[in-house]
Amino acid sequence: TAIKELKLVVELKPEDAVTYNSLGIIYQNKAASLFDKRNATVDNDEAAEIDAKAKDSLREAMKYYEKATEIKPDNKEFWKSLFQVYTSLGMNEKAEAAMEKAGM
């Protein structure tokens, strides 16, 4: 899978911010897909389960975006992605700081 391949790249090139960012994008997209599925679900228990999985994917995305910003702290696009994840997870203080670093 793409995730497996990118994780291998990270092992071989641990300072490759673009690869960390790519992993963040994959997990953020997975979360978005799960949120769409949750919104289309009428069963509340099932919706809660899907929501939890989506938030887990966002936390994975956050981990990779944070590493990307650690390596390249001046990259505004990385910060913008991190802002979106922080906002979705209700991490308002971190979202505000990321927003400033993204120049938004």
XYZ file of all heavy atoms in Angstrom:
822
model
N 0.840 -1.197 0.000
C 0.000 0.000 0.000
C 0.878 1.251 0.000
O 2.068 1.180 0.335
C -0.910 0.025 1.250
O -0.099 0.176 2.403
C -1.781 -1.213 1.357
N 0.262 2.358 -0.313
C 0.991 3.637 -0.331
C 1.521 3.979 1.057
O 2.656 4.457 1.199
C 0.078 4.746 -0.838
N 0.724 3.712 2.075
C 1.144 4.019 3.446
C 2.400 3.226 3.797
O 3.359 3.777 4.340
C 0.004 3.724 4.448
C -1.126 4.745 4.265
C 0.509 3.746 5.879
C -2.361 4.475 5.081
N 2.404 1.956 3.468
C 3.555 1.100 3.757
C 4.811 1.624 3.061
O 5.888 1.705 3.654
C 3.229 -0.309 3.259
C 3.893 -1.426 3.978
C 3.317 -2.685 3.370
C 3.614 -3.938 3.977
N 3.007 -5.085 3.378
N 4.650 1.989 1.787
C 5.790 2.499 1.007
C 6.312 3.813 1.594
O 7.530 4.008 1.708
C 5.391 2.702 -0.458
C 5.047 1.420 -1.189
C 6.228 0.468 -1.331
O 7.358 0.929 -1.546
O 6.007 -0.749 -1.195
N 5.401 4.713 1.959
C 5.822 6.005 2.514
C 6.488 5.834 3.874
O 7.450 6.535 4.193
C 4.633 6.960 2.602
C 4.130 7.486 1.259
C 2.808 8.225 1.424
C 5.167 8.390 0.591
N 5.997 4.884 4.668
C 6.630 4.636 5.969
C 8.047 4.093 5.775
O 8.935 4.390 6.568
C 5.780 3.691 6.813
C 4.549 4.380 7.381
C 3.737 3.464 8.276
C 2.572 4.210 8.883
N 1.762 3.358 9.769
N 8.253 3.326 4.722
C 9.586 2.839 4.399
C 10.504 4.009 4.024
O 11.650 4.082 4.470
C 9.531 1.819 3.261
C 10.862 1.217 2.816
C 11.546 0.480 3.966
C 10.641 0.274 1.650
N 9.992 4.948 3.250
C 10.763 6.140 2.878
C 11.162 6.913 4.133
O 12.305 7.359 4.271
C 9.978 7.047 1.897
C 10.701 8.370 1.679
C 9.755 6.339 0.571
N 10.229 7.054 5.069
C 10.502 7.766 6.322
C 11.621 7.068 7.106
O 12.471 7.734 7.696
C 9.207 7.881 7.167
C 9.497 8.224 8.608
C 8.281 8.919 6.546
N 11.613 5.748 7.089
C 12.691 5.008 7.768
C 14.041 5.284 7.119
O 15.050 5.451 7.807
C 12.419 3.505 7.711
C 11.412 3.016 8.718
C 11.215 1.508 8.626
O 12.198 0.779 8.352
O 10.069 1.061 8.829
N 14.045 5.324 5.791
C 15.294 5.538 5.062
C 15.730 7.000 5.036
O 16.925 7.293 4.980
C 15.145 5.017 3.624
C 14.845 3.519 3.491
C 14.529 3.166 2.037
C 16.020 2.691 3.998
N 14.760 7.901 5.038
C 15.039 9.349 4.991
C 14.216 10.048 6.065
O 13.219 10.699 5.762
C 14.679 9.892 3.606
C 15.483 9.291 2.465
C 14.836 9.600 1.140
C 15.513 10.746 0.465
N 14.933 11.060 -0.845
N 14.636 9.934 7.332
C 13.827 10.473 8.437
C 13.662 11.994 8.445
O 12.811 12.504 9.167
C 14.562 9.986 9.689
C 15.921 9.615 9.238
C 15.831 9.255 7.798
N 14.407 12.700 7.622
C 14.265 14.157 7.580
C 13.510 14.626 6.330
O 13.588 15.793 5.958
C 15.642 14.826 7.657
C 16.356 14.571 8.983
C 15.557 15.029 10.208
O 15.104 16.185 10.226
O 15.384 14.228 11.142
N 12.767 13.736 5.700
C 12.015 14.059 4.488
C 10.621 14.571 4.856
O 9.672 13.794 5.006
C 11.924 12.833 3.581
C 11.308 13.136 2.232
O 10.783 14.249 2.038
O 11.341 12.251 1.367
N 10.496 15.873 5.015
C 9.240 16.489 5.435
C 8.097 16.219 4.466
O 6.950 16.055 4.881
C 9.436 17.995 5.609
N 8.393 16.159 3.180
C 7.350 15.949 2.176
C 6.693 14.574 2.362
O 5.474 14.432 2.211
C 7.919 16.115 0.749
C 6.906 15.716 -0.303
C 8.359 17.561 0.537
N 7.470 13.583 2.722
C 6.916 12.249 2.946
C 6.004 12.250 4.169
O 4.912 11.668 4.143
C 8.034 11.202 3.094
O 8.846 11.243 1.921
C 7.464 9.813 3.259
N 6.429 12.900 5.243
C 5.562 13.009 6.423
C 4.261 13.725 6.051
O 3.179 13.318 6.470
C 6.267 13.762 7.558
C 7.315 12.952 8.261
C 8.666 13.168 8.031
C 6.955 11.958 9.174
C 9.633 12.427 8.684
C 7.921 11.204 9.831
C 9.256 11.449 9.583
O 10.210 10.705 10.234
N 4.382 14.784 5.273
C 3.194 15.515 4.849
C 2.275 14.624 4.004
O 1.051 14.645 4.176
C 3.599 16.769 4.066
C 2.408 17.634 3.724
O 1.731 18.154 4.599
N 2.137 17.777 2.440
N 2.854 13.827 3.125
C 2.054 12.919 2.286
C 1.292 11.909 3.142
O 0.115 11.624 2.875
C 2.952 12.184 1.293
O 3.546 13.104 0.396
N 1.941 11.387 4.171
C 1.254 10.477 5.085
C 0.112 11.199 5.802
O -0.978 10.644 5.966
C 2.242 9.888 6.098
C 3.120 8.760 5.562
C 4.354 8.561 6.432
C 2.321 7.471 5.448
N 0.356 12.436 6.193
C -0.702 13.231 6.826
C -1.897 13.397 5.906
O -3.057 13.250 6.328
N -1.632 13.678 4.640
C -2.711 13.854 3.657
C -3.527 12.566 3.526
O -4.766 12.607 3.507
C -2.138 14.280 2.292
C -1.591 15.706 2.363
C -3.193 14.156 1.193
C -0.739 16.116 1.168
N -2.851 11.429 3.434
C -3.556 10.147 3.288
C -4.488 9.914 4.483
O -5.663 9.578 4.312
C -2.557 8.986 3.130
C -1.874 9.069 1.763
C -3.265 7.631 3.296
C -0.690 8.134 1.596
N -3.972 10.109 5.693
C -4.796 9.881 6.882
C -5.917 10.921 7.010
O -7.022 10.599 7.442
C -3.935 9.837 8.144
C -3.237 8.511 8.315
C -1.881 8.371 8.042
C -3.938 7.383 8.736
C -1.239 7.143 8.196
C -3.305 6.156 8.886
C -1.960 6.044 8.613
O -1.342 4.822 8.752
N -5.649 12.164 6.613
C -6.692 13.190 6.670
C -7.799 12.870 5.653
O -8.983 13.024 5.953
C -6.097 14.574 6.398
C -7.091 15.700 6.624
C -6.463 17.074 6.452
O -5.355 17.207 5.933
N -7.164 18.093 6.876
N -7.421 12.402 4.477
C -8.418 12.017 3.469
C -9.236 10.810 3.930
O -10.439 10.744 3.690
C -7.752 11.729 2.123
C -7.288 12.983 1.430
O -7.710 14.087 1.758
N -6.402 12.826 0.468
N -8.566 9.870 4.590
C -9.272 8.707 5.133
C -10.308 9.164 6.166
O -11.448 8.696 6.169
C -8.264 7.743 5.768
C -8.878 6.491 6.340
C -7.803 5.573 6.912
C -8.429 4.341 7.546
N -7.404 3.487 8.170
N -9.921 10.101 7.015
C -10.850 10.638 8.015
C -12.035 11.328 7.344
O -13.182 11.136 7.754
C -10.125 11.614 8.940
N -11.767 12.111 6.302
C -12.849 12.812 5.600
C -13.844 11.820 5.014
O -15.068 12.015 5.093
C -12.270 13.706 4.504
N -13.323 10.735 4.455
C -14.184 9.693 3.895
C -15.038 9.043 4.990
O -16.237 8.803 4.802
C -13.312 8.648 3.195
O -14.098 7.605 2.698
N -14.424 8.791 6.135
C -15.167 8.209 7.256
C -16.220 9.173 7.786
O -17.335 8.756 8.124
C -14.202 7.793 8.373
C -13.375 6.545 8.085
C -12.217 6.420 9.080
C -14.249 5.295 8.130
N -15.907 10.461 7.861
C -16.902 11.448 8.304
C -18.091 11.488 7.340
O -19.243 11.590 7.769
C -16.287 12.843 8.461
C -15.461 13.019 9.712
C -14.192 13.576 9.642
C -15.937 12.645 10.965
C -13.428 13.751 10.785
C -15.183 12.809 12.121
C -13.912 13.370 12.028
N -17.823 11.379 6.035
C -18.910 11.320 5.045
C -19.780 10.088 5.289
O -21.012 10.170 5.242
C -18.356 11.283 3.617
C -17.807 12.629 3.159
O -18.087 13.657 3.813
O -17.072 12.638 2.140
N -19.131 8.965 5.540
C -19.865 7.718 5.810
C -20.701 7.865 7.087
O -21.849 7.441 7.145
C -18.868 6.564 5.939
C -19.503 5.211 6.118
C -18.448 4.106 6.152
C -19.113 2.748 6.390
N -18.118 1.678 6.474
N -20.103 8.471 8.107
C -20.814 8.707 9.374
C -22.055 9.553 9.138
O -23.128 9.260 9.641
C -19.894 9.403 10.372
C -20.583 9.804 11.670
C -19.935 10.980 12.352
N -19.965 12.172 11.517
C -19.250 13.264 11.733
N -18.405 13.301 12.742
N -19.338 14.307 10.945
N -21.902 10.602 8.337
C -23.024 11.516 8.082
C -24.158 10.858 7.315
O -25.298 11.299 7.397
C -22.528 12.758 7.339
C -21.608 13.603 8.204
O -21.578 13.470 9.422
N -20.837 14.469 7.572
N -23.841 9.794 6.582
C -24.855 9.089 5.797
C -25.453 7.904 6.566
O -26.296 7.190 6.036
C -24.242 8.607 4.486
N -25.019 7.718 7.798
C -25.469 6.577 8.605
C -26.624 7.003 9.502
O -26.552 8.029 10.160
C -24.298 6.050 9.475
O -23.218 5.713 8.623
C -24.702 4.846 10.286
N -27.688 6.194 9.530
C -28.845 6.525 10.371
C -28.771 5.879 11.754
O -29.374 6.365 12.702
C -30.187 6.137 9.681
C -30.439 7.027 8.482
C -30.213 4.686 9.285
N -28.006 4.819 11.880
C -27.847 4.126 13.158
C -26.857 4.900 14.034
O -25.688 5.048 13.681
C -27.351 2.696 12.898
C -27.192 1.903 14.178
O -26.245 2.210 14.945
O -27.992 0.979 14.404
N -27.321 5.390 15.180
C -26.483 6.229 16.044
C -25.256 5.504 16.579
O -24.178 6.096 16.682
C -27.300 6.790 17.208
C -28.225 7.905 16.772
O -28.025 8.508 15.720
N -29.245 8.180 17.568
N -25.410 4.239 16.951
C -24.264 3.486 17.471
C -23.201 3.299 16.390
O -22.003 3.466 16.637
C -24.710 2.124 18.006
C -25.553 2.245 19.272
O -25.409 3.265 19.986
O -26.345 1.325 19.537
N -23.668 2.965 15.193
C -22.741 2.801 14.072
C -22.055 4.126 13.738
O -20.848 4.171 13.488
C -23.486 2.261 12.848
C -22.566 1.919 11.695
C -23.302 1.389 10.471
O -24.491 1.039 10.571
O -22.657 1.337 9.406
N -22.821 5.210 13.776
C -22.266 6.538 13.491
C -21.183 6.898 14.511
O -20.133 7.441 14.148
C -23.371 7.588 13.484
N -21.432 6.567 15.776
C -20.445 6.861 16.829
C -19.160 6.053 16.608
O -18.050 6.566 16.809
C -21.035 6.563 18.202
N -19.313 4.811 16.174
C -18.158 3.956 15.888
C -17.331 4.525 14.728
O -16.101 4.578 14.794
C -18.671 2.565 15.505
C -17.972 1.433 16.186
C -18.643 0.097 15.866
O -18.254 -0.508 14.844
O -19.534 -0.313 16.623
N -18.021 4.933 13.679
C -17.351 5.497 12.500
C -16.671 6.810 12.875
O -15.545 7.082 12.451
C -18.353 5.693 11.344
C -18.889 4.334 10.874
C -17.702 6.440 10.178
C -20.090 4.422 9.946
N -17.344 7.617 13.699
C -16.777 8.891 14.138
C -15.473 8.663 14.904
O -14.483 9.373 14.688
C -17.787 9.632 15.023
C -17.324 11.024 15.370
O -17.338 11.898 14.476
O -16.930 11.254 16.538
N -15.445 7.656 15.764
C -14.235 7.348 16.533
C -13.088 6.947 15.601
O -11.943 7.373 15.794
C -14.523 6.244 17.545
N -13.401 6.145 14.591
C -12.373 5.743 13.625
C -11.850 6.953 12.849
O -10.653 7.055 12.578
C -12.935 4.701 12.650
C -13.135 3.347 13.266
C -13.722 2.365 12.259
C -14.022 1.028 12.905
N -14.702 0.108 11.998
N -12.752 7.850 12.476
C -12.350 9.054 11.742
C -11.411 9.907 12.593
O -10.391 10.399 12.112
C -13.581 9.856 11.324
N -11.745 10.060 13.872
C -10.893 10.857 14.764
C -9.541 10.193 14.983
O -8.525 10.879 15.103
C -11.616 11.134 16.074
C -12.733 12.159 15.876
C -13.467 12.490 17.135
C -14.527 13.541 16.835
N -15.486 13.679 17.916
N -9.514 8.857 15.011
C -8.234 8.148 15.108
C -7.370 8.453 13.881
O -6.163 8.686 13.997
C -8.453 6.634 15.217
C -8.940 6.206 16.588
O -8.838 6.999 17.559
O -9.440 5.061 16.694
N -8.002 8.482 12.704
C -7.268 8.810 11.470
C -6.748 10.241 11.518
O -5.629 10.513 11.078
C -8.164 8.615 10.238
O -8.345 7.244 9.983
N -7.550 11.147 12.066
C -7.094 12.539 12.191
C -5.901 12.644 13.137
O -4.970 13.403 12.881
C -8.225 13.443 12.694
C -9.237 13.902 11.660
C -10.290 14.792 12.323
C -8.570 14.654 10.517
N -5.924 11.868 14.211
C -4.781 11.890 15.137
C -3.521 11.349 14.462
O -2.418 11.837 14.709
C -5.115 11.124 16.418
C -6.008 11.935 17.367
C -6.210 11.260 18.709
N -7.272 10.274 18.679
C -8.573 10.553 18.789
N -8.966 11.804 18.955
N -9.470 9.591 18.751
N -3.683 10.351 13.589
C -2.543 9.858 12.812
C -2.036 10.956 11.877
O -0.835 11.189 11.778
C -2.935 8.619 11.987
C -2.873 7.322 12.736
C -1.472 6.969 13.207
O -0.553 6.807 12.386
O -1.296 6.834 14.435
N -2.955 11.617 11.187
C -2.577 12.717 10.290
C -1.825 13.790 11.071
O -0.788 14.293 10.625
C -3.819 13.314 9.621
N -2.333 14.121 12.248
C -1.727 15.150 13.092
C -0.276 14.799 13.401
O 0.612 15.648 13.303
C -2.532 15.294 14.391
C -1.986 16.315 15.353
S -3.002 16.451 16.857
C -2.576 14.921 17.679
N -0.036 13.548 13.752
C 1.323 13.095 14.088
C 2.286 13.359 12.920
O 3.389 13.865 13.123
C 1.252 11.603 14.423
C 2.550 10.954 14.772
C 2.352 9.507 15.219
C 2.085 8.602 14.029
N 2.039 7.174 14.406
N 1.841 13.040 11.716
C 2.711 13.215 10.544
C 2.859 14.686 10.162
O 3.951 15.128 9.795
C 2.212 12.372 9.375
C 2.396 10.900 9.640
C 1.308 10.056 9.804
C 3.677 10.357 9.761
C 1.489 8.700 10.072
C 3.863 9.008 10.032
C 2.769 8.188 10.183
O 2.956 6.852 10.455
N 1.787 15.452 10.242
C 1.885 16.889 9.956
C 2.793 17.582 10.972
O 3.568 18.469 10.619
C 0.506 17.557 9.968
C -0.367 17.251 8.780
C -1.743 17.101 8.941
C 0.141 17.148 7.489
C -2.578 16.855 7.857
C -0.686 16.899 6.399
C -2.041 16.754 6.591
O -2.861 16.521 5.518
N 2.680 17.197 12.241
C 3.543 17.805 13.257
C 5.014 17.525 12.957
O 5.861 18.416 13.102
C 3.166 17.294 14.657
C 1.896 17.906 15.181
C 1.438 17.352 16.519
O 1.859 16.236 16.906
O 0.635 18.046 17.181
N 5.312 16.308 12.536
C 6.706 15.974 12.196
C 7.167 16.786 10.985
O 8.297 17.288 10.965
C 6.824 14.460 11.917
C 8.240 14.009 11.678
C 9.110 14.151 12.906
C 10.520 13.652 12.612
N 11.452 13.916 13.704
N 6.287 16.949 9.999
C 6.642 17.753 8.815
C 6.955 19.192 9.208
O 7.931 19.773 8.733
C 5.511 17.703 7.785
N 6.144 19.773 10.107
C 6.385 21.163 10.527
C 7.620 21.273 11.407
O 8.265 22.313 11.431
C 5.170 21.764 11.260
O 4.872 20.992 12.417
C 3.957 21.859 10.359
N 7.942 20.197 12.116
C 9.156 20.189 12.929
C 10.392 20.258 12.024
O 11.353 20.972 12.320
C 9.162 18.894 13.745
C 10.281 18.747 14.728
C 10.216 17.387 15.433
O 9.139 17.044 15.962
O 11.229 16.668 15.406
N 10.345 19.528 10.913
C 11.470 19.495 9.982
C 11.533 20.778 9.149
O 12.610 21.327 8.923
C 11.365 18.264 9.053
C 11.482 16.972 9.878
C 12.442 18.295 7.977
C 11.075 15.719 9.120
N 10.387 21.252 8.701
C 10.321 22.469 7.866
C 9.336 23.460 8.498
O 8.195 23.604 8.044
C 9.867 22.122 6.449
C 10.853 21.255 5.708
C 11.130 21.825 4.359
C 12.132 20.926 3.665
N 13.059 21.602 2.878
N 9.770 24.158 9.545
C 8.854 25.046 10.278
C 8.365 26.264 9.484
O 7.396 26.901 9.898
C 9.664 25.469 11.502
C 11.090 25.215 11.141
C 11.094 24.103 10.142
N 8.986 26.566 8.360
C 8.556 27.724 7.577
C 7.568 27.376 6.465
O 7.127 28.253 5.732
C 9.776 28.432 6.965
C 10.672 29.020 8.044
O 10.171 29.363 9.128
O 11.893 29.113 7.797
N 7.201 26.102 6.344
C 6.291 25.681 5.274
C 4.842 25.964 5.688
O 4.265 25.271 6.519
C 6.483 24.205 4.961
C 5.697 23.778 3.750
O 4.485 23.973 3.666
N 6.378 23.166 2.798
N 4.263 26.990 5.098
C 2.908 27.426 5.460
C 1.844 26.388 5.112
O 0.840 26.268 5.809
C 2.590 28.764 4.796
C 3.418 29.907 5.348
C 3.095 31.217 4.653
C 4.024 32.323 5.063
N 3.807 32.871 6.362
N 2.046 25.624 4.048
C 1.066 24.602 3.662
C 0.987 23.493 4.714
O -0.101 22.991 5.008
C 1.396 24.022 2.281
C 1.147 24.989 1.143
C -0.268 25.541 1.103
O -1.236 24.753 1.178
O -0.413 26.783 0.996
N 2.126 23.110 5.274
C 2.125 22.091 6.331
C 1.331 22.597 7.539
O 0.551 21.867 8.133
C 3.550 21.742 6.768
C 4.407 21.068 5.726
C 5.759 20.880 5.955
C 3.892 20.612 4.517
C 6.579 20.254 5.019
C 4.703 19.987 3.567
C 6.048 19.807 3.822
N 1.548 23.873 7.887
C 0.841 24.465 9.023
C -0.658 24.581 8.746
O -1.473 24.393 9.650
C 1.432 25.830 9.378
C 2.729 25.713 10.107
C 3.975 25.997 9.625
C 2.929 25.241 11.440
N 4.923 25.736 10.579
C 4.320 25.280 11.707
C 2.064 24.800 12.448
C 4.862 24.890 12.931
C 2.597 24.404 13.668
C 3.983 24.449 13.903
N -1.007 24.876 7.504
C -2.425 24.980 7.144
C -3.115 23.625 7.325
O -4.223 23.547 7.867
C -2.566 25.458 5.694
C -3.983 25.726 5.273
C -4.042 26.280 3.859
C -5.474 26.504 3.419
N -5.562 26.967 2.041
N -2.464 22.566 6.897
C -3.020 21.222 7.076
C -3.155 20.883 8.557
O -4.173 20.331 8.996
C -2.130 20.185 6.391
O -2.088 20.402 5.007
N -2.146 21.235 9.318
C -2.182 20.986 10.756
C -3.302 21.788 11.417
O -4.016 21.276 12.284
C -0.824 21.329 11.365
C -0.489 20.773 12.735
C -0.792 19.296 12.862
C 0.967 21.047 13.055
N -3.500 23.016 10.971
C -4.606 23.844 11.468
C -5.949 23.140 11.247
O -6.792 23.082 12.141
C -4.600 25.213 10.758
C -5.906 25.945 10.843
C -6.293 26.573 12.014
C -6.757 25.996 9.754
C -7.516 27.232 12.101
C -7.966 26.653 9.820
C -8.354 27.273 10.999
N -6.138 22.585 10.058
C -7.402 21.904 9.742
C -7.634 20.710 10.669
O -8.752 20.497 11.152
C -7.402 21.432 8.284
C -7.440 22.566 7.289
C -7.163 22.108 5.861
O -6.656 21.001 5.630
N -7.487 22.948 4.899
N -6.586 19.946 10.919
C -6.710 18.778 11.794
C -6.993 19.211 13.227
O -7.891 18.684 13.886
C -5.446 17.889 11.706
C -5.459 16.809 12.778
C -5.344 17.261 10.325
N -6.221 20.178 13.726
C -6.451 20.673 15.088
C -7.885 21.170 15.238
O -8.538 20.902 16.242
C -5.486 21.810 15.425
C -4.054 21.416 15.704
C -3.026 22.317 15.457
C -3.706 20.173 16.221
C -1.695 21.999 15.730
C -2.385 19.842 16.493
C -1.390 20.764 16.245
O -0.077 20.448 16.519
N -8.371 21.894 14.246
C -9.732 22.427 14.292
C -10.746 21.290 14.352
O -11.675 21.314 15.170
C -10.008 23.335 13.072
O -9.067 24.420 13.101
C -11.413 23.893 13.098
N -10.571 20.293 13.512
C -11.499 19.152 13.481
C -11.503 18.375 14.793
O -12.522 17.785 15.161
C -11.145 18.199 12.335
O -11.330 18.835 11.100
N -10.374 18.368 15.486
C -10.277 17.650 16.757
C -10.622 18.534 17.958
O -10.511 18.093 19.098
C -8.871 17.055 16.922
C -8.536 15.902 15.982
C -7.055 15.534 16.091
C -9.407 14.685 16.275
N -11.017 19.788 17.706
C -11.401 20.693 18.785
C -10.229 21.198 19.610
O -10.400 21.599 20.757
N -9.043 21.181 19.028
C -7.837 21.640 19.722
C -7.615 23.117 19.362
O -6.721 23.464 18.594
C -6.650 20.768 19.312
C -6.874 19.294 19.625
S -5.623 18.208 18.882
C -4.254 18.476 20.006
N -8.446 23.971 19.943
C -8.528 25.363 19.504
C -7.261 26.181 19.701
O -6.908 26.979 18.835
C -9.732 26.039 20.158
C -11.035 25.360 19.750
O -11.131 24.771 18.671
N -12.025 25.417 20.615
N -6.588 26.008 20.829
C -5.364 26.792 21.057
C -4.281 26.422 20.047
O -3.616 27.294 19.490
C -4.850 26.590 22.484
C -5.645 27.365 23.511
C -5.097 27.184 24.918
O -3.876 27.004 25.077
O -5.906 27.236 25.858
N -4.121 25.122 19.824
C -3.129 24.674 18.847
C -3.535 25.112 17.445
O -2.682 25.465 16.632
C -2.954 23.154 18.913
C -2.176 22.704 20.122
C -1.812 21.238 20.025
C -0.821 20.882 21.119
N -0.095 19.663 20.842
N -4.840 25.082 17.165
C -5.325 25.504 15.851
C -4.996 26.975 15.611
O -4.561 27.352 14.523
C -6.834 25.274 15.734
N -5.179 27.786 16.635
C -4.892 29.218 16.509
C -3.407 29.461 16.241
O -3.044 30.259 15.375
C -5.328 29.946 17.787
C -5.442 31.436 17.594
C -6.091 32.110 18.796
O -7.173 31.659 19.214
O -5.491 33.084 19.300
N -2.538 28.757 16.954
C -1.100 28.899 16.752
C -0.702 28.432 15.327
O 0.089 29.091 14.664
C -0.333 28.096 17.798
N -1.282 27.322 14.886
C -0.993 26.829 13.542
C -1.491 27.797 12.476
O -0.828 28.015 11.451
C -1.630 25.444 13.332
N -2.640 28.403 12.731
C -3.214 29.375 11.797
C -2.250 30.557 11.612
O -2.016 31.003 10.481
C -4.578 29.857 12.307
C -5.297 30.790 11.372
S -6.974 31.180 11.949
C -6.602 32.352 13.252
N -1.696 31.026 12.708
C -0.737 32.138 12.638
C 0.502 31.735 11.835
O 0.975 32.487 10.985
C -0.330 32.582 14.042
C -1.418 33.366 14.753
C -1.025 33.711 16.181
O 0.180 33.850 16.469
O -1.946 33.872 17.005
N 1.021 30.548 12.100
C 2.209 30.083 11.385
C 1.937 29.809 9.916
O 2.843 29.881 9.087
C 2.784 28.843 12.075
C 3.379 29.177 13.432
C 3.898 27.979 14.164
C 4.445 28.399 15.506
N 4.919 27.276 16.291
N 0.665 29.530 9.592
C 0.276 29.329 8.194
C 0.072 30.656 7.480
O -0.114 30.686 6.263
C -0.998 28.494 8.114
N 0.095 31.743 8.249
C -0.117 33.072 7.653
C -1.559 33.313 7.253
O -1.835 34.079 6.331
N -2.468 32.704 7.972
C -3.895 32.824 7.656
C -4.536 33.950 8.446
O -4.143 34.281 9.512
C -4.615 31.510 7.954
C -4.089 30.348 7.136
S -4.645 28.732 7.717
C -6.395 28.819 7.478
